[in-house]
Amino acid sequence: MDTQHEAPRIVVGVDGSPSSQAALRWAVRYAGLVSGRVVAVTAWEIPGEASWSAPAVDATFDEEDAERRLVEEVRTVLGEEGASLVHERLVHGHPAGVLVDESEGADMLVVGSHGRGGFRRALLGSVSQQVALHAPCPVTIVRPDVPVA
């Protein structure tokens, strides 16, 4: 019988918003408490890609630059030492779908309550609401104004 246990995997959505920065800090702190590992996921899609409009093309999107910005975001929020505990992933697709897929087999999915888009007066952002409904694991939704000790 194999008694080895894999470290808990905590997936966190990162989009550069204050709410996702708070979620990233929360995920790393939680991972430290449960000896887990953190996977920071950023989703990207081309505007109009999923619609019936003309073929979606974004000649200005640079995947390498987006990956670099994700790594920089993690380092800015957590510092060099904290960032060393995080694995960054840039994934093509709608954010809610990407996070649900990436959380398959995870111990927890962490997202901010509001991302870059949406309506400021809404209680939850559309992505956080969708992952709360569809994620295959427990979901923690973090508000940007909640202090992390």
Side-chain angles (χ1 to χ4, degrees), residues 24-149:
L24 178 59
R25 287 188 294 272
W26 192 97
V28 168
R29 183 166 186 265
Y30 177 75
L33 295 172
V34 298
S35 301
R37 56 192 173 99
V38 176
V39 180
V41 178
T42 293
W44 69 273
E45 64 181 347
I46 299 170
E49 182 173 15
S51 69
W52 286 93
S53 64
V57 177
D58 186 353
T60 64
F61 182 77
D62 181 343
E63 193 167 346
E64 287 181 16
D65 182 54
E67 287 176 351
R68 181 184 52 74
R69 284 184 288 142
L70 170 58
V71 170
E72 286 176 7
E73 173 78 10
V74 170
R75 277 161 182 56
T76 298
V77 171
L78 301 174
E80 200 63 40
E81 186 176 332
S84 69
L85 306 172
V86 177
H87 174 74
E88 298 92 356
R89 284 189 37 81
L90 177 69
V91 182
H92 178 254
H94 184 273
V98 165
L99 291 171
V100 167
D101 290 347
E102 290 290 317
S103 68
E104 188 69 43
D107 294 270
M108 180 162 305
L109 172 60
V110 183
V111 294
S113 59
H114 289 87
R116 288 230 169 254
F119 303 98
R120 290 276 177 214
R121 293 187 325 236
L123 292 176
L124 286 178
S126 61
V127 171
S128 57
Q129 185 174 31
Q130 287 302 306
V131 300
L133 292 171
H134 300 289
C137 64
V139 175
T140 297
I141 300 172
V142 180
R143 291 175 41 127
D145 56 352
V146 175
V148 177

